[in-house]
Amino acid sequence: MFIQDLKNDFYNILRGKRILVIVNYDIDAICASKILQTLFRYDHMVYSIVPIMGVAGLQRAYAENKDDVKYVLLINCGVCLDIVDLLRPDEDVIFFICDSHRPMDVCNIYSDSQIKIFGEVNSEEGVPAFEALFRDDDSEDEENDDDDNNSDKENGETSNRADRVERQIMKRRELRQWEEKRHQLMFEYTQYSYYGRSSALILFELAWKLSRDSMELLWWAIVGLTEQLVMEKIESSSYVLESDKIQSHVSRLTNKASDQSVQSAIKIHFEKDLHLALYRHWSVYESLRHSKYSACKLKLWTLRGEKRVHELLVEMGLPLAQAKQQYSSMDMLLRNEFYQMIEKLSEKYQIGDIVYGSFTLQYGYRSKFSAADFVYATIAILESIRKDRSPEHCFLEALDSLSRQNKQILDAGIEQAKQFLCAVFKVVQTALQANQVRSAGPFLYFVLGEENPYFSCPHGLSILAKFLLESYVSVSRSKKASELPLIVCCPVDLDMGIYLMIGIPPVFEDSPKNFFGKAFEQAATNTNATVSLDFFETSIAQIKQSDLTKFLDGLTVLMS
């Protein structure tokens, strides 16, 4: 069931109770949990936060902590699964779910007692009606059997047996038709995976209603929303609508904090920004080269693309020496005119969408950060799993990087993000030059030949896949290229023969809805391939190397 009054139906219920908070490994979830931590500390509430990476992690986290708690909050995990069936909790355990994944499991939606989902029914999600999904035929069967037995005694066996058989045939036909309709409804409802509102935004609104909101909490909500934009989880129109709401909070909190000193005050601004990754902490040249939007539009992996970017810099009046040095070290006049210059030439160089509205943060007189800077840095920290860095360690470091007291962690994350973006560009350039993106007919696919720590985690592989597909479409001579989805596979452990696999929708699709979750599930069943569908993002899976060829063949047959 849904709850909209989070203050009374969620937060006030938890006061004085012990809470288990299970958090998915994504930036929006980390920002949401950071907001929640702040609220819990205000009210001295007892809680445990457990980060998880998949369905098995969710089961393990609950099993290890279930003896101590009766209230569980799931952040960006669980809403797409039948939680009661999966975890088998005691009847007095209550699950609160704040999850942006869609579509939601219908058993969670129509649960009256144990499952409480933050938000409300959205008509655009097309949730089937309760009557179309659930029916209870047992009592009707018993009543009909009693009626039939009584009538048999009263009117004789022979004539009523025929009536009874006919009624049963009709009833079975109705049941079969109902089941077919239910199957069709469920297929239409679950065939695509996509995302709803940012969980960080939802929990910020709770803080606002509790009168516990602040500039820091608002910034974390902004980072959560921006992650959805950067990772292309939502349409740009949804981002614009949410940004409008956020601006009113920025104005309100700015007026509220106007008595603070300039040096210590947090300032948030909404302003025109550029789809150039980390350019404030990099050089303009490197940012243009390694940002997906500019690299794909200008084809910067080619000699012709290199020539075009030099032409762009000349027309902007930006000397190459200035463009290749740190942005903060550029000539002040050139830096101040940079936005206007690139915006003025954007149409000529077919980069008209390079300008967008973004939020920036400034602590006193120190460096300015955009929300996208935080997203790239936090992703780099979160995905920097090594032998000496466990997933839990990376999660906690990513959580810490959001606080202004830990600027050194954020700065280190920005440097890691630069290395990651350089690695993405290098793989894309090599794949295109060596014609390694192949067509299987109904989809494109690319298999990375060697292990790469940057792409052995979902966020990194997702960024690579989207960069690669857009780059391929920009240089392909085939008119159908923009209509084809892409599957990218990267070895996670070559010794064990395990690959991480992701499927992304075609470039021409306006909506970020993804159909690969259902396709992977069906292809795995049809081919008997060893595929692990453990991720909350259903378009991501792990597969055995020995099964990869037959799985892709099965997927080709399925999608043809």
Side-chain angles (χ1 to χ4, degrees), residues 318-338:
L318 187 59
L320 194 59
Q322 290 281 331
K324 286 191 172 183
Q325 68 178 341
Q326 195 82 358
Y327 179 80
S328 58
S329 302
M330 281 172 55
D331 182 272
M332 181 70 76
L333 182 62
L334 293 173
R335 202 165 68 220
N336 290 338
E337 293 179 354
F338 176 59

Side-chain angles (χ1 to χ4, degrees), residues 292 296 301 424 427-432 436-437 444-447 462-475 486-488 504 507:
K292 180 175 74 106
C296 294
W301 53 88
V424 170
V427 170
V428 170
Q429 185 176 36
T430 303
L432 294 177
Q436 293 175 335
V437 178
L444 304 167
Y445 68 93
F446 168 71
V447 180
S462 176
I463 290 172
L464 171 64
K466 286 162 184 170
F467 201 139
L468 182 60
L469 179 58
E470 200 159 319
S471 303
Y472 176 84
V473 170
S474 71
V475 297
L486 173 69
I487 294 173
V488 175
I504 59 170
V507 166

Side-chain angles (χ1 to χ4, degrees), residues 24-291:
N24 187 26
Y25 270 75
D26 71 60
I27 310 308
D28 181 37
I30 288 175
C31 293
S33 63
K34 188 77 172 174
I35 294 169
L36 197 69
Q37 270 188 316
T38 306
L39 295 180
F40 284 169
R41 285 171 182 163
Y42 270 128
D43 294 299
H44 307 290
M45 293 167 73
V46 181
Y47 65 95
S48 300
I49 289 184
V50 183
I52 59 167
M53 295 188 80
V55 179
L58 173 59
Q59 291 175 302
R60 183 171 58 252
Y62 179 69
E64 290 173 355
N65 296 277
K66 65 180 181 180
D67 295 335
D68 301 328
V69 293
K70 296 298 180 186
Y71 296 93
V72 182
L73 172 61
L74 307 179
I75 300 181
N76 277 4
C77 58
V79 82
C80 303
L81 307 166
D82 185 348
I83 290 297
V84 173
D85 183 62
L86 179 72
L87 301 180
R88 304 287 181 183
D90 294 337
E91 291 184 1
D92 58 345
V93 177
I94 304 296
F95 288 89
F96 295 96
I97 305 179
C98 183
D99 191 353
S100 61
H101 292 96
R102 298 292 184 272
M104 294 178 275
D105 186 88
V106 292
C107 293
N108 292 335
I109 292 172
Y110 291 115
S111 170
D112 289 331
S113 54
Q114 289 191 272
I115 308 296
K116 300 183 186 298
I117 304 168
F118 290 10
E120 58 187 338
V121 178
N122 188 337
S123 58
E124 293 180 3
E125 293 177 14
V127 178
F130 179 86
E131 298 76 17
L133 301 176
F134 304 98
R135 59 184 284 174
D136 185 7
D137 290 322
D138 295 339
S139 59
E140 293 177 17
D141 290 340
E142 290 173 7
E143 290 174 10
N144 290 337
D145 288 342
D146 290 340
D147 292 341
D148 290 340
N149 289 334
N150 292 335
S151 61
D152 284 345
K153 291 175 183 178
E154 293 172 6
N155 303 320
E157 290 280 338
T158 308
S159 60
N160 285 293
R161 188 176 295 132
D163 293 340
R164 182 178 171 188
V165 169
E166 188 176 348
R167 282 197 301 272
Q168 288 178 338
I169 290 171
M170 290 293 291
K171 190 172 182 182
R172 285 171 186 163
R173 184 181 300 159
E174 289 174 8
L175 180 60
R176 186 170 61 252
Q177 290 173 345
W178 180 85
E179 287 175 344
E180 287 173 356
K181 186 176 180 181
R182 182 186 189 277
H183 178 76
Q184 181 64 27
L185 283 170
M186 285 300 295
F187 174 77
E188 291 172 359
Y189 174 61
T190 61
Q191 63 179 321
Y192 295 107
S193 60
Y194 56 103
Y195 292 84
R197 284 196 80 201
S198 157
S199 294
L201 269 181
I202 291 171
L203 288 176
F204 171 76
E205 288 175 356
L206 169 63
W208 171 40
K209 288 168 185 173
L210 291 167
S211 300
R212 303 275 198 229
D213 57 334
S214 66
M215 280 291 203
E216 263 195 320
L217 269 62
L218 178 59
W219 180 250
W220 298 334
I222 290 169
V223 174
L225 172 65
T226 306
E227 185 249 357
Q228 290 192 316
L229 180 72
V230 169
M231 297 300 293
E232 299 177 31
K233 294 179 177 180
I234 58 172
E235 298 175 30
S236 57
S237 58
S238 300
Y239 170 79
V240 171
L241 289 172
E242 294 290 7
S243 296
D244 289 342
K245 297 176 186 176
I246 289 173
Q247 287 179 66
S248 64
H249 288 296
V250 171
S251 300
R252 178 177 55 80
L253 290 170
T254 299
N255 294 332
K256 183 179 175 182
S258 60
D259 58 338
Q260 294 182 11
S261 66
V262 175
Q263 289 83 0
S264 62
I266 299 176
K267 291 185 177 180
I268 298 175
H269 300 282
F270 183 77
E271 57 191 39
K272 283 184 178 180
D273 206 352
L274 302 171
H275 279 298
L276 295 179
L278 305 172
Y279 70 91
R280 290 183 181 86
H281 315 281
W282 215 348
S283 69
V284 169
Y285 181 82
E286 291 296 330
S287 184
L288 276 167
R289 183 177 174 81
H290 296 103
S291 299

